[in-house]
Amino acid sequence: PGLLSFMNIEAAVQASGEEEEEAEDELTIPIDDKFFRVKTGQIQDILALVSLLGVLIKETGSGFLEYVRPTAEALHKILACSDPVLNLASSVRDAVYPCWASLVQAVSRSIPARGAEAQALAVELVSRFVDRVASDLAKAEDPEDIAPMANGIAEVVSNAGPGCLQLSQIQGICDLAVSEIFKSLQREQSIKDGNQAAPDANDGEGSEDSSVVGDALVRGEEDEEKECRLGLCAILGACMKASPEDFVLHSWPALKALMEEWLGQQQHAGRPLGLNLACDLCEHLGERAVEIWPVFMEAILESVCSVDAG
């Protein structure tokens, strides 16, 4: 418990109306009409504490149960910080996600021994996290922010297991994941379109070097979008695991049409997503997946037999 008192991220990132002289371990960053003073040393200390908490939770397991609530409160305070503060301390925010997932795992593994009390605590932890992070994800526009948020939701839901989410929550995060996948595909297409138009503006001396740099930047941005989409797909897989019946009832009808589109074209940017989802469907839906094999089985066999690893 003594460690938790030091996890005050708002003390490490403070806003002021005017620029002030920086100390040795401080950075001043202007955002909109404010200046934010970031104490880099304190941010690193908080990051180390969150990492240490994750190790303690994993190593002690059910022995950590009496500290779950105060730890969750401390972590939630970080997630509840204002957007500018969280954006400036994104490394701490991203470290909270797996730490919270470890909390959920410790509680869910104690359910056989502790019964309804542990089950209720697991549901509470999942609901608080999903409500908070899904709201942040819906506002995020940078794939580097979206990917850890999506992976965090997926890991928390997956660690909690069956019964951790209400039907409305499953509907909400599945719909959010599909919506964000669409946005990512659109962003990637815009990146490609912009890169194809760029050479016309770069004709002349130095254009070859500019083209090489531009191609590298585009590949980096495309990779970020792919990681983002895989994280969003992981949310769908976690919901399949948590509540197969609700997933089939609510999310599968819309997802079926998307998978048919993604898997119907060899070069479609969504094809890797379709293949990942097919694996999750087989793993988590079991015999329920048999009737939907025709949607993806041919594409899986083609991929297995393909000489092109891409």
Side-chain angles (χ1 to χ4, degrees):
L3 293 175
L4 304 179
S5 62
F6 294 100
M7 291 168 49
N8 184 2
I9 198 169
E10 290 189 321
V13 182
Q14 298 177 333
S16 63
E18 57 185 22
E19 189 172 6
E20 300 175 2
E21 186 175 349
E22 296 178 356
E24 184 177 348
D25 65 342
E26 291 181 349
L27 292 174
T28 300
I29 301 175
I31 298 180
D32 297 330
D33 58 346
K34 293 182 179 179
F35 291 91
F36 286 84
R37 188 169 55 186
V38 181
K39 299 179 180 179
T40 55
Q42 196 167 342
I43 290 290
Q44 291 302 314
D45 289 343
I46 296 172
L47 182 59
L49 284 174
V50 173
S51 299
L52 176 60
L53 272 175
V55 173
L56 288 173
I57 296 165
K58 287 182 178 180
E59 293 299 324
T60 57
S62 60
F64 197 83
L65 287 182
E66 65 179 295
Y67 306 114
V68 166
R69 288 191 183 278
T71 301
E73 287 300 325
L75 295 176
H76 194 268
K77 284 182 181 178
I78 293 176
L79 297 180
C81 288
S82 63
D83 290 344
V85 172
L86 274 184
N87 290 337
L88 292 172
S90 59
S91 59
V92 176
R93 176 200 66 195
D94 294 350
V96 167
Y97 302 150
C99 188
W100 196 293
S102 295
L103 272 183
V104 171
Q105 185 175 62
V107 173
S108 63
R109 286 180 173 176
S110 72
I111 290 174
R114 306 229 175 186
E117 181 183 359
Q119 176 70 35
L121 180 55
V123 169
E124 177 187 336
L125 288 172
V126 174
S127 294
R128 287 190 79 182
F129 184 88
V130 168
D131 290 346
R132 173 76 256 177
V133 180
S135 174
D136 292 339
L137 194 158
K139 295 182 292 184
E141 298 179 353
D142 189 334
E144 287 191 295
D145 291 327
I146 296 172
M149 291 177 186
N151 283 313
I153 292 174
E155 188 176 6
V156 165
V157 172
S158 182
N159 284 357
C164 66
L165 288 174
Q166 301 290 332
L167 174 59
S168 60
Q169 292 174 309
I170 290 176
Q171 292 175 341
I173 59 175
C174 284
D175 288 347
L176 176 62
V178 172
S179 173
E180 292 298 324
I181 287 172
F182 269 120
K183 292 179 183 177
S184 175
L185 289 170
Q186 290 170 350
R187 287 194 300 266
E188 183 172 329
Q189 188 59 50
S190 296
I191 292 169
K192 291 178 178 177
D193 292 343
N195 189 50
Q196 289 173 355
D200 295 336
N202 289 332
D203 290 341
E205 187 176 353
S207 62
E208 184 175 346
D209 291 340
S210 298
S211 178
V212 171
V213 172
D215 288 344
L217 290 173
V218 167
R219 284 195 297 273
E221 291 176 330
E222 290 177 349
D223 288 344
E224 289 171 5
E225 294 292 354
K226 289 174 183 175
E227 288 299 315
C228 161
R229 292 196 294 271
L230 288 175
L232 294 165
C233 266
I235 292 178
L236 299 173
C239 289
M240 294 179 208
K241 178 182 178 182
S243 186
E245 295 85 357
D246 290 337
F247 181 87
V248 170
L249 179 66
H250 170 74
S251 299
W252 173 244
L255 202 57
K256 176 183 177 182
L258 290 177
M259 288 185 67
E260 288 173 337
E261 176 187 345
W262 294 341
L263 297 175
Q265 304 174 42
Q266 286 286 346
Q267 301 303 317
H268 197 293
R271 188 175 178 84
L273 305 181
L275 295 172
N276 272 276
L277 284 171
C279 294
D280 286 336
L281 288 165
C282 291
E283 179 180 358
H284 301 307
L285 299 190
E287 63 184 19
R288 301 179 189 87
V290 173
E291 64 184 71
I292 57 181
W293 280 1
V295 174
F296 55 78
M297 195 56 69
E298 184 177 346
I300 288 180
L301 294 175
E302 287 177 356
S303 298
V304 169
C305 298
S306 176
V307 296
D308 181 7

